[in-house]
Amino acid sequence: MRWKKIALCVIVFSLMGSSLLFADAVTQKIRVWSNGKEMADGGYLIDGKTYIPVREAGGVVTWDDSGKVKILKPNVHIFLFKGDTVFGNVNVGKLKFKVFSQVDSLTDEISAVKVAITDPSGNVKDIQSQELEGSRKDNFWFPTSEFTYDFKESGKYRVGFYIKGEKNGDYVLVSEKVITALN
């Protein structure tokens, strides 16, 4: 009688172990990189398809009770002007410039926009923001006022364009332009 219980336990544990191995082979956790940065939560490879958390895709993410998920990420083109001249690289030091952002393919209402600059160390400085109450436009332009910024060290600075979907929501980066500061 005892050997039957032992045999039954061996069979049950063998089946459980092989099921776990099969599930692990079908679902595999993977590292995912986007624009040179590793996504925090990574992704999964399931039946030959890659799945990533929707917030990692970029843009403003909303969902409703019916299970409908929407990602809002319009096309944004950023131009940098020193006077009337477009630029991309600068020398280390102070520079007076303005940012011109052209937004199109906006499919939903947004509550605000913001332009900010991130230095090579990751410090962020807001340049300008604006609330957009009651306006639903599928395309618009957002020029900042002229401002002075100190490029203190050589490296890559990122000028980012952010949108806020809801008034109480967070700003989400939807586009960026890189400025390289040279010695």
Side-chain angles (χ1 to χ4, degrees), residues 5-15:
K5 287 182 182 179
I6 293 172
L8 181 61
C9 286
V10 168
I11 291 172
V12 168
F13 286 122
S14 295
L15 289 174

Side-chain angles (χ1 to χ4, degrees), residues 16-63:
M16 285 175 42
S18 64
S19 296
L20 291 174
L21 289 174
F22 176 74
D24 188 43
V26 174
T27 304
Q28 180 183 358
K29 179 94 168 135
I30 58 173
R31 295 172 65 187
V32 180
W33 294 77
S34 177
N35 291 331
K37 295 179 184 174
E38 186 171 10
M39 291 184 174
D41 294 329
Y44 291 93
L45 185 62
I46 302 172
D47 293 332
K49 293 182 182 177
T50 304
Y51 296 89
I52 61 171
V54 71
R55 289 196 190 279
E56 297 279 351
V60 175
V61 177
T62 57
W63 58 90

